[in-house]
Amino acid sequence: METQIVGRITSNPTFKELVSRRTRFAWTMTVLMLVIYFGFILLVAFGKGFLAMRIGVGVTTIGIPIGISVIVLAFILTGIYVRRANSEFDALTRKIVQEAK
Amino acid sequence: MRRLATLLLVSAAAALPELALAAGVEGEVTKQATNWSAIGMFLGFVTLTLGITYWASKRTKSAAAFYSAGGGITAGQNGLAIAGDYMSAASFLGISGLVYTSGYDGLIYSVGWLVGWPIVTFLIAEPLRNLGKYTFADVASFRLGQTQIRILAACGSLVTVAFYLIAQMVGAGKLIQILFGMDYLYAVLMVGVLMITYVTFGGMVATTWVQIIKAFLLLGGATFMALMVLLHFGFNPEALFAKAVEVHPKGDQIMAPGTLIQDPISAISLGVALMFGTAGLPHILMRFFTVADAKAARKSVFYATGFIGYFYILTFIIGFGAITLVSTNPQFLDPTILASKGPIAAILGGSNMAAVHLANAVGGNIFLGFIAAVAFATILAVVSGLALAGASAISHDIYASVIKKGKAVEQDELRMSKIATVFLGILAVLLGIVFEKQNVAYMVGLAFAIACSCNFPVLLMSIYWKGLTTMGALIGGFLGLISSVTLVVLGPTVWVGVLGHPAGSAPFPYSNPALFSMGLAFFTIWLVSKIDRSKRAAEDQAAFAAQYVRCQTGIGASRAAAH
C-alpha cells in the first residue's frame, strides 16, 4: 500500500474511531471470556463442594447448569461481537474505504 | 524400527495425561466381527466424497483453488466445515467415554474445547482474513523477515500437524479394527490413501465438502442419540441423572468434579492449552482464507461456535445415556470384568466405545452401522484438513516463500503442494504403523500445547504489537516450541509414564506445560524485541502502520478468485 494512502487513512478521524471502538470492544469481550472460563476452572479446583451442591430435592447439582452456561455464554458472547461488528464496525469501515479513494 | 519408535516417542511424548482419556482409543483392542451395515454406509460415504473430489478436481487448477477454494466458500458452509475440521473422533468418542466413566469431568473437558472459539472471533479471524492469503505464516511474516518467520511458522505448523496426525492415525486404525473388523494395517492404509486422494486431487474444495458432509452426519447422528436418550426419560434430565447416579459405581460423585483436575496449576495450564491452542492450530486457521472477506470469516466462526457448543452438550447427554442404557445391558459388557470391576469398566472395547454401544442400544444394528461410518468419516475429514495444512506449510511457506523467495511459478508451487501431500500421507501411514502399540492419545494434547506456545504468540503479537521484531518473534517462537516439548518430556506423563522413572521423580512437576511455555514465549518475544536495535528491527516496526490499516479495514486484502 502506498505510504500516502496509509498516512491519509491513519489520520482519518473515522479510522481512529473504528480502531479505538473495536479494539476496546474486542479486548473487553476477550477479558470477559477469560474471566468466565478461568473462573469456572478455579471453581473446579477450589470449589468442588459448591459445584456438588444439589439443586432442590433431585440429584442434579449446581455444577451442571454452571458448566452448560459457560458453553452457552461462549456462544452468546461470540454472537454479540459478530452482531455489533456486522452493523457498526462494517459501516465505519465502508466509510473509511470510501474516503480513502 | 523399534528403536526409532522409542526415540520418536521419547522426543515427542507429551503432557496433559488427562487429555489421554479424552483423546482416542487406548491400549490393546480386539478385532470385532465384520459389521456389514457399517461397511455399506461407509462405502456410501466414500463413494459420495470421491464423486465430490472428482468434481472438485476440475476446479482445482490454481494455487488459490488448492489452498483456499478460491475464497468461494460461504460463511455458513465454512462454519460447518470448521466444525467438521475440529470435532474429531477423539472428542466424540473420547468425551462421551469420559462422561461415561467420570460424569461431570467430561463436561469440564467439553467446556475447555469450546472456549477458544470466542477468542478466535474477537482477536484472530478478521485480521487473519485481511492480512493473509493461504497460511497463517502469511500473516505472521507480513512485515517481518520472510525467510526467518516462514521457517518458524512452518516448523510450528508441521510439528503440530505431525503430533495431531499420529494420534488420529493410530486412533483411526484401532477404531476401524473395532468397528469394521478390518486389520489395523489395512485400516491405516485406507485412511492414508483416501486422505491423499481427497487432498491431491480436490485440494481445499474437496476437503471442505468432506468436512461439511461429516459435520452434518455427526451432528445429525449425535442429535438422534441424545433425543432417544431424553425420550427414554420423558425429556426430564433429572430422571436421566437420577438413574445414572443409581447405576454408576461412583454414585453421586459423577455429578461433581472428580479426580480429573488434581491441582490448580495443572488445571489452569490445561485450560490455557485448550483455549489458546485452538487459536494456533494451522488446519483451523487455514479455513479462514476460504471465505470472501473478513465479515464472512467472522460469521463463520460464530456458526462454528454454535455447532461445536451444541455438539459438546450432546456428548454430555450421550455419556449419561450410555451410563444408564449401556452399563445396565449385559449385551455390551464383558462378564469376567463385570464380576471383578463392575459395570462401567466392563464395557466391551473400552470406554471410548460408550457412544457406539449406545447407538446400538437406541437405534439397533442399522444405526450402529451409521455411527460407525460417521466415526470413520470424522477421522477422514480431520486428517484431510491436517494433511492440507501440512502440505501448505511445505509448498507455500518453505518452497515458494523461502526457497523461491516468493517468485515460484504457480504451477510448480501447485505440483509441490501435491508432492508434499503424498509425502505426508505416506509418512502418516508409516507413523501410524510405528506407533500402533504405543499410547499416543496425549499427542493431541501436545499438539495443543505447541500451538499455544509457538504459533499463537507469534501470530497474536505480529497482528497487534507494533514493537515486534523479526528477531523477537524468531527467538520467542522457537523457545515456545522447544520448551513445550521439553517440559512435556520432563513432566510426569513422559518421565514417569513412558520413561519408567519412579513416581514423583519428574523434574517438572506439572503434566501441562502450556502456562509456562506460552508465558515464556510471550515474555521472550517482548524482551528480545525491546532490546533489538538492528536495522531489520527498525524496518519491522516502520512497516506496522501499513499492516495496521489493511488489518483494520481490509483495504488491499486478497480477493476471492473468480471461477
Side-chain angles (χ1 to χ4, degrees):
Chain A
M1 213 177 306
E2 295 153 47
T3 328
Q4 217 181 349
I5 301 179
V6 171
R8 203 157 65 216
I9 292 174
T10 45
S11 58
N12 182 342
T14 317
F15 179 76
K16 287 178 183 158
E17 198 186 332
L18 169 72
V19 170
S20 77
R21 276 199 218 171
R22 180 157 59 195
T23 306
R24 200 180 318 128
F25 188 52
W27 286 97
T28 309
M29 298 296 271
T30 302
V31 169
L32 201 58
M33 193 63 237
L34 289 174
V35 168
I36 291 170
Y37 176 55
F38 286 101
F40 174 66
I41 291 295
L42 289 176
L43 210 51
V44 167
F46 294 110
K48 281 186 190 177
F50 173 72
L51 290 174
M53 261 169 33
R54 289 182 171 190
I55 307 172
V57 290
V59 299
T60 309
T61 56
I62 203 158
I64 303 281
I66 288 180
I68 304 277
S69 304
V70 178
I71 294 181
V72 174
L73 276 173
F75 177 63
I76 291 175
L77 288 186
T78 310
I80 292 171
Y81 174 85
V82 170
R83 198 184 154 93
R84 187 166 169 196
N86 280 350
S87 50
E88 187 185 334
F89 300 151
D90 280 355
L92 284 172
T93 307
R94 268 194 302 276
K95 198 166 164 230
I96 295 160
V97 174
Q98 282 296 321
E99 287 168 3
K101 278 178 183 166
Chain B
M1 203 64 156
R2 174 166 288 274
R3 176 179 282 178
L4 176 70
T6 318
L7 196 71
L8 278 170
L9 190 78
V10 170
S11 59
L16 317 183
E18 296 90 341
L19 270 173
L21 285 163
V25 182
E26 283 172 50
E28 293 288 314
V29 292
T30 42
K31 216 173 82 167
Q32 303 287 304
T34 309
N35 181 338
W36 290 108
S37 73
I39 290 174
M41 268 176 265
F42 175 70
L43 284 179
F45 173 81
V46 170
T47 312
L48 177 66
T49 49
L50 286 179
I52 287 171
T53 306
Y54 176 73
W55 165 79
S57 68
K58 298 186 170 173
R59 310 171 129 231
T60 308
K61 301 287 182 214
S62 65
F66 182 84
Y67 294 124
S68 68
I73 304 292
T74 68
Q77 290 165 350
N78 197 37
L80 265 177
I82 292 171
D85 207 0
Y86 191 69
M87 299 181 298
S88 58
S91 49
F92 175 47
L93 303 177
I95 291 188
S96 52
L98 189 58
V99 174
Y100 174 79
T101 50
S102 312
Y104 194 83
D105 282 353
L107 184 63
I108 301 172
Y109 257 103
S110 302
V111 170
W113 290 103
L114 183 75
V115 290
W117 289 101
I119 307 297
V120 173
T121 318
F122 306 148
L123 301 179
I124 304 288
E126 293 172 60
L128 201 69
R129 180 63 190 82
N130 278 340
L131 294 174
K133 207 172 167 194
Y134 303 141
T135 63
F136 88 88
D138 291 340
V139 182
S141 68
F142 192 88
R143 67 189 154 104
L144 305 181
Q146 285 290 319
T147 307
Q148 301 93 314
I149 303 303
R150 293 271 178 187
I151 291 174
L152 168 69
C155 286
S157 295
L158 286 168
V159 175
T160 310
V161 164
F163 287 122
Y164 220 129
L165 211 48
I166 293 173
Q168 296 294 325
M169 291 304 278
V170 176
K174 292 189 177 171
L175 191 67
I176 293 162
Q177 235 176 322
I178 297 175
L179 296 179
F180 297 93
M182 186 190 269
D183 272 344
Y184 180 88
L185 180 68
Y186 293 129
V188 168
L189 267 175
M190 192 164 77
V191 172
V193 168
L194 283 170
M195 169 180 107
I196 292 173
T197 310
Y198 293 147
V199 178
T200 42
F201 293 105
M204 183 52 105
V205 180
T207 304
T208 301
W209 284 101
V210 169
Q211 289 168 346
I212 290 175
I213 295 169
K214 162 267 176 97
F216 199 71
L217 293 174
L218 183 58
L219 288 169
T223 302
F224 176 77
M225 271 159 86
L227 279 179
M228 292 304 280
V229 168
L230 290 174
L231 181 70
H232 194 89
F233 291 95
F235 289 94
N236 178 5
E238 169 60 30
L240 168 68
F241 295 143
K243 179 74 180 168
V245 167
E246 186 197 318
V247 301
H248 202 292
K250 290 182 185 166
D252 65 356
Q253 285 176 21
I254 60 170
M255 299 304 291
T259 52
L260 182 71
I261 303 294
Q262 311 267 336
D263 65 292
I265 301 288
S266 289
I268 294 168
S269 202
L270 172 67
V272 164
L274 291 176
M275 191 173 210
F276 300 112
T278 303
L281 293 174
H283 63 298
I284 296 293
L285 295 174
M286 202 178 171
R287 290 230 52 92
F288 294 111
F289 304 117
T290 64
V291 292
D293 53 23
K295 182 175 185 169
R298 157 211 310 153
K299 279 161 76 177
S300 59
V301 213
F302 172 61
Y303 296 137
T305 310
F307 292 132
I308 297 167
Y310 169 69
F311 173 73
Y312 283 137
I313 292 173
L314 294 181
T315 56
F316 189 60
I317 299 170
I318 290 169
F320 269 91
I323 296 173
T324 58
L325 301 174
V326 173
S327 81
T328 54
N329 187 339
Q331 186 194 343
F332 306 120
L333 306 175
D334 181 325
T336 21
I337 305 179
L338 181 62
S340 59
K341 290 182 178 169
I344 294 294
I347 186 166
L348 288 171
S351 65
N352 283 299
M353 292 297 284
V356 177
H357 291 314
L358 182 67
N360 195 351
V362 301
N365 205 37
I366 299 287
F367 189 65
L368 168 71
F370 176 76
I371 286 297
V374 166
F376 200 174
T378 288
I379 290 166
L380 283 175
V382 175
V383 294
S384 300
L386 288 167
L388 186 57
S392 308
I394 294 172
S395 61
H396 182 62
D397 296 329
I398 299 292
Y399 173 77
S401 306
V402 174
I403 297 174
K404 293 284 175 183
K405 306 282 174 210
K407 294 187 175 64
V409 179
E410 188 178 345
Q411 289 305 317
D412 288 345
E413 185 179 338
L414 194 57
R415 192 174 316 117
M416 181 53 76
S417 63
K418 293 183 175 187
I419 295 169
T421 307
V422 175
F423 164 75
L424 284 173
I426 295 170
L427 187 70
V429 170
L430 290 177
L431 288 173
I433 295 167
V434 168
F435 281 89
E436 180 188 351
K437 304 284 181 207
Q438 313 284 354
N439 180 358
V440 296
Y442 49 79
M443 285 190 187
V444 170
L446 180 60
F448 269 78
I450 295 166
C452 88
S453 307
C454 173
N455 307 352
F456 174 69
V458 172
L459 183 63
L460 191 77
M461 297 290 254
S462 73
I463 293 171
Y464 290 101
W465 190 39
K466 183 178 191 281
L468 177 71
T469 71
T470 301
M471 195 62 81
L474 192 66
I475 296 177
F478 270 115
L479 214 55
L481 177 63
I482 295 163
S483 65
S484 54
V485 177
T486 311
L487 289 180
V488 161
V489 175
L490 298 180
T493 315
V494 175
W495 194 258
V496 179
V498 179
L499 299 177
H501 293 281
S505 68
F508 180 70
Y510 307 109
S511 45
N512 312 307
L515 182 62
F516 303 93
S517 51
M518 187 180 90
L520 181 69
F522 271 115
F523 177 75
T524 312
I525 290 172
W526 171 81
L527 186 71
V528 174
S529 298
K530 275 286 175 197
I531 56 176
D532 187 0
R533 293 271 179 273
S534 64
K535 185 162 160 285
R536 177 74 240 186
E539 288 169 20
D540 294 337
Q541 288 161 348
F544 183 76
Q547 178 195 303
Y548 201 53
V549 166
R550 175 160 157 182
C551 168
Q552 294 285 346
T553 63
I555 294 173
S558 72
R559 298 268 158 245
H563 279 293

